[in-house]
Amino acid sequence: MAEDIQIFSTFNGTFPFTKNFTVRRIVYFCTMQKPQIVILDFGSQYTQLIARRVRELHVYCEIHPFSSLKALEYLIQEGALKGIILSGSPCSVNDAEAPNIDFKSILGKIPVLGICYGAQLMAQQFGGKVEKSQTREYGRANLPEIDTTHALLHGLSPNTQVWMSHGDTIKQIPDNFKIIARTERIPVAAFEIEGQQTYGIQFHPEVTHSTEGKQLLENFVIGICEAQPNWTPAAFAEQTIAELKAKLGNDKVVLGLSGGVDSSVAALLLHRAIGQNLYCIFVDNGLLRKDEFEEVIDSYHHLGLNVIAVNAHEEFYGALRGLSEPEAKRKAIGKTFIEIFQDEANELKEVKWLGQGTIYPDVIESVSVNGPSVTIKSHHNVGGLPEKMNLQLVEPLRSLFKDEVRQVGKTLGLPENILHRHPFPGPGLAIRILGDITPAKVKMLQEADYIYIQHLKNTGWYDKIWQAGTILLNSQSVGVMGDERTYENVVALRAVHSMDGMTADWVHIPYELLAKISNDIINQVKGINRVVYDISSKPPATIEWE
């Protein structure tokens, strides 16, 4: 029997637990596929983006803390690992406690590409000079001097645009280093260590502002490392289903559905592997969007999933009565969900596994760049389990990014209304109603939000937006309807562009469309007389208001 593990999690999505539980057994399930490329993370904000770009080349890669290099040596020895990418970092290589690795264990044994900090670290460790730039080098730059015949830079255009983001710069390279690209201001924009298939660049090829960055990464990953482009949604689905069959056999699994893409794709993979031995519980907390519960349940039934639908409006409204502080509302919802889920799960016999839709960003964020975190980060899919349930954890999506989950879902035939559904907060409309929660407020917000979302769908804007929603403010304003004075509620419309929710920018919806949405909400939803549009970006604001 494994030792007890303390896991803490907050309500923020598919499986929301808000208190500590002791877990007797935890077994994480993940793909058996070995990475062909490993990205050693020194703490850069762009590290996940590097991995996404490599995955776009259909090559399976993983992100590991720089401190885990020694643990990866077996992959190098057996030839499974084809190359290593060193990320950037917010640190300076000249800091007293700057992150570092033992280059001797990898250089000359496997192709290495250092990006920004990774390049500077190589240069410094082998006798070069890295100093603080006289002016911070940030933003667009060009490469007027570039060796386009070089294996790393083959196919790039002369004077190609790249993106800089660093405070230090390489002033002098070691003797066995060769410069292969310069900018007007930076004498060492790219270099190679001769005879070692080792390269460094002081720009970021992973960002879209580096217009031919994808070509450079392809040159390294496919050309130099000779990685095989076999990481496809269909291949992942086929392999994962086979692994699930072998792992689970005839065991029963219970999974909490949210109606979102992550839990839905996880359910489909499990269903393809074990059929009716998967029991899905979908709890209607009364805080979903208008008609959403019925529409999602209908989609699940058409997929053949074994779904237990629970109407728990009264339980959740009762738990929320009189609460207005955001964290108090989250805790009340999380506690109520646990109680209802556990009651339903206890009705099932001989269940051994808990299925969850944990995805790769959740896994990455649970580990610091300095090594495994002391505690697992609170996020929406790694949750505590009541001890008496005594379940093991199966997470078929924990190697995928969000966009990859959607691609797998499309391969599996997930309906469009779920596949392309915008992210929706776990606490639902409870955190889009500022202040206390009442059924009347929920109804009002559902109607206003329905008008907003339908307009976006009817005009083609829904698929251009990463996330959109309506917020009911806890303030009222004076208005005039006909000849009468009104003093009614205000709603704010929110729409953002984002890749993963870490950063976001507000969407420039046409004024004409906003005017139509505002007019229809005010005319059709009793109790609302004013509509505003949120033009805040993240950071400094957050996507949700609470």
Side-chain angles (χ1 to χ4, degrees):
M1 180 70 70
E3 293 183 359
D4 295 354
I5 303 170
Q6 290 292 329
I7 293 185
F8 179 80
S9 182
T10 58
F11 184 89
N12 191 28
T14 304
F15 209 76
F17 293 99
T18 56
K19 58 187 291 188
N20 285 319
F21 289 104
T22 302
V23 183
R24 300 305 283 177
R25 292 181 294 158
I26 281 207
V27 178
Y28 285 109
F29 171 86
C30 61
T31 179
M32 297 177 186
Q33 180 153 347
K34 295 176 181 178
Q36 296 188 70
I37 302 294
V38 161
I39 300 162
L40 292 183
D41 183 22
F42 292 96
S44 170
Q45 62 178 323
Y46 296 135
T47 301
Q48 286 194 33
L49 193 53
I50 300 171
R52 292 170 72 94
R53 294 291 178 255
V54 175
R55 298 274 187 96
E56 287 172 3
L57 299 171
H58 303 298
V59 172
Y60 181 55
C61 70
E62 291 180 354
I63 297 171
H64 290 269
F66 72 90
S67 56
S68 66
L69 177 58
K70 188 170 183 60
L72 298 171
E73 289 181 357
Y74 79 98
L75 290 174
I76 300 175
Q77 292 170 0
E78 67 181 24
L81 193 62
K82 302 297 184 182
I84 292 176
I85 297 176
L86 311 178
S87 82
S89 174
C91 303
S92 166
V93 296
N94 295 310
D95 292 343
E97 298 183 359
N100 196 2
I101 61 172
D102 179 12
F103 282 104
K104 294 179 181 178
S105 66
I106 57 174
L107 294 192
K109 300 177 182 178
I110 189 172
V112 177
L113 173 64
I115 296 176
C116 202
Y117 180 91
Q120 294 166 359
L121 189 63
M122 277 192 283
Q124 185 205 54
Q125 291 296 310
F126 288 91
K129 290 184 179 180
V130 179
E131 299 175 358
K132 184 171 289 295
S133 304
Q134 292 182 347
T135 58
R136 189 164 186 262
E137 293 162 345
Y138 181 85
R140 293 176 177 83
N142 296 91
L143 302 179
E145 296 183 41
I146 177 173
D147 182 1
T148 57
T149 65
H150 191 278
L152 183 67
L153 306 176
H154 178 72
L156 273 64
S157 306
N159 210 42
T160 187
Q161 177 181 290
V162 295
W163 183 261
M164 298 285 184
S165 180
H166 54 94
D168 291 346
T169 193
I170 300 172
K171 295 291 188 180
Q172 181 179 326
I173 58 173
D175 292 339
N176 61 331
F177 283 42
K178 176 184 176 183
I179 297 173
I180 55 176
R182 307 172 186 264
T183 72
E184 291 181 352
R185 295 173 54 195
I186 301 177
V188 187
F191 65 77
E192 71 167 333
I193 301 180
E194 295 182 288
Q196 292 191 5
Q197 287 191 308
T198 301
Y199 316 91
I201 54 178
Q202 285 201 98
F203 54 88
H204 290 273
E206 67 275 17
V207 303
T208 55
H209 300 300
S210 290
T211 54
E212 296 177 317
K214 185 176 181 179
Q215 180 64 55
L216 184 150
L217 289 173
E218 183 175 351
N219 288 343
F220 178 72
V221 172
I222 305 295
I224 294 170
C225 298
E226 298 183 349
Q228 298 301 307
N230 54 16
W231 177 252
T232 65
F236 172 85
E238 181 180 358
Q239 178 179 333
T240 301
I241 291 168
E243 291 172 5
L244 287 168
K245 286 180 179 179
K247 186 78 174 180
L248 302 176
N250 293 319
D251 289 353
K252 293 180 180 179
V253 179
V254 62
L255 179 143
L257 287 172
S258 70
V261 65
D262 297 341
S263 66
S264 299
V265 174
L268 273 181
L269 288 167
L270 286 162
H271 177 69
R272 297 286 175 87
I274 63 174
Q276 294 304 301
N277 277 342
L278 171 67
Y279 295 86
C280 302
I281 298 176
F282 187 14
V283 177
D284 182 1
N285 57 15
L287 302 166
L288 302 176
R289 285 172 158 158
K290 181 180 178 181
D291 300 330
E292 185 171 40
F293 185 73
E294 294 77 13
E295 291 174 0
V296 172
I297 284 293
D298 183 65
S299 296
Y300 285 148
H301 283 160
H302 280 87
L303 291 169
L305 294 179
N306 185 8
V307 181
I308 301 168
V310 183
N311 185 322
H313 293 201
E314 292 185 7
E315 290 91 334
F316 281 92
Y317 287 155
L320 288 165
R321 189 173 294 118
L323 300 180
S324 58
E325 199 274 324
E327 191 60 24
K329 290 190 288 186
R330 287 176 180 270
K331 287 181 178 179
I333 293 169
K335 181 176 182 295
T336 305
F337 180 88
I338 293 170
E339 293 170 352
I340 293 170
F341 185 90
Q342 184 173 334
D343 287 345
E344 295 296 330
N346 285 342
E347 294 295 318
L348 305 173
K349 305 300 181 184
E350 300 179 349
V351 173
K352 295 184 178 180
W353 299 82
L354 172 72
Q356 290 200 140
T358 308
I359 61 175
Y360 198 42
D362 299 334
V363 177
I364 297 168
E365 290 162 7
S366 296
V367 182
S368 73
V369 296
N370 292 308
S373 302
V374 174
T375 57
I376 295 178
K377 176 185 178 292
S378 300
H379 59 76
H380 71 281
N381 277 324
V382 174
L385 305 174
E387 179 179 358
K388 59 186 176 182
M389 291 180 71
N390 199 30
L391 300 177
Q392 299 177 78
L393 192 59
V394 55
E395 299 175 305
L397 302 179
R398 71 189 322 262
S399 64
L400 298 185
F401 286 105
K402 189 79 168 186
D403 54 335
E404 294 173 322
V405 174
R406 285 198 168 94
Q407 293 166 16
V408 172
K410 185 175 182 179
T411 298
L412 296 172
L414 189 67
E416 290 290 318
N417 65 313
I418 299 178
L419 188 64
H420 296 295
R421 178 178 181 255
H422 286 180
F424 188 65
L429 299 181
I431 60 167
R432 291 185 178 177
I433 297 173
L434 307 192
D436 66 322
I437 308 298
T438 66
K441 288 182 178 180
V442 172
K443 176 69 172 176
M444 185 187 306
L445 182 55
Q446 284 177 332
E447 295 297 332
D449 186 71
Y450 182 80
I451 292 170
Y452 178 32
I453 297 301
Q454 287 305 117
H455 271 293
L456 294 179
K457 289 181 176 179
N458 293 339
T459 57
W461 274 91
Y462 185 85
D463 291 333
K464 301 176 184 178
I465 293 170
W466 190 76
Q467 183 173 344
T470 311
I471 299 93
L472 179 63
L473 307 189
N474 56 350
S475 62
Q476 294 180 310
S477 70
V478 174
V480 177
M481 290 188 179
D483 294 327
E484 296 183 1
R485 175 186 181 275
T486 63
Y487 190 62
E488 295 182 333
N489 295 283
V490 183
V491 294
L493 307 180
R494 185 77 159 128
V496 297
H497 292 304
S498 183
M499 289 292 290
D500 51 20
M502 300 299 291
T503 61
D505 197 10
W506 63 279
V507 178
H508 294 243
I509 296 176
Y511 294 148
E512 296 79 10
L513 178 55
L514 288 173
K516 177 63 174 172
I517 294 168
S518 174
N519 187 66
D520 284 357
I521 289 175
I522 292 171
N523 285 336
Q524 297 176 31
V525 184
K526 187 176 180 180
I528 296 174
N529 70 353
R530 190 178 299 269
V531 176
V532 299
Y533 188 58
D534 185 347
I535 59 170
S536 308
S537 296
K538 178 186 179 181
T542 54
I543 296 175
E544 299 292 345
W545 281 43
E546 289 192 343

